[in-house]
Amino acid sequence: EKEKAKEEEKEGEKPEDHILYVGRAQSKAERAREFREKSTANPVSRASGVNLYVKNLDEGTTDASLKELFEPFGTVTSCVAVKDDKDNCK
């Protein structure tokens, strides 16, 4: 009975429920070379979406001043100046 239930369950599944990638097995050196080629092809995309942590900021630093400081280097999606109990930047 359990086997019949499993078979009926499998029959109801759609093909797109199980997407599978099949490719030739690559050696570690081939994977490393492919990764290096992709990462050096567009260096700007490599840095997108990274978190940057900055220490030893002035106590008066605000979120707005921090964003203004880093905008010349690229798009800043969000920034937070961590504050202590006395509302000073850490």
Side-chain angles (χ1 to χ4, degrees):
E1 289 180 35
K2 289 180 182 179
E3 291 178 20
K4 275 188 175 181
K6 285 182 182 180
E7 287 178 22
E8 289 176 7
E9 200 174 291
K10 286 182 182 179
E11 288 175 6
E13 292 180 2
K14 298 176 186 173
E16 60 266 2
D17 288 345
H18 301 286
I19 298 173
L20 181 65
Y21 171 78
V22 179
R24 185 180 70 79
Q26 294 179 320
S27 68
K28 185 176 181 180
E30 289 174 320
R31 289 191 308 272
R33 185 181 64 242
E34 186 178 317
F35 177 75
R36 191 171 38 254
E37 288 171 357
K38 285 182 181 179
S39 65
T40 57
N42 192 357
V44 174
S45 68
R46 186 178 78 203
S48 66
V50 297
N51 294 326
L52 176 65
Y53 297 92
V54 183
K55 295 172 83 176
N56 300 326
L57 294 171
D58 184 51
E59 290 180 351
T61 303
T62 63
D63 294 345
S65 65
L66 190 60
K67 185 173 183 173
E68 184 180 314
L69 180 66
F70 283 97
E71 279 185 333
F73 300 101
T75 304
V76 178
T77 54
S78 67
C79 68
V80 176
V82 180
K83 309 238 184 231
D84 61 8
D85 299 337
K86 298 177 184 175
D87 207 31
N88 292 331
C89 187
K90 288 185 175 183

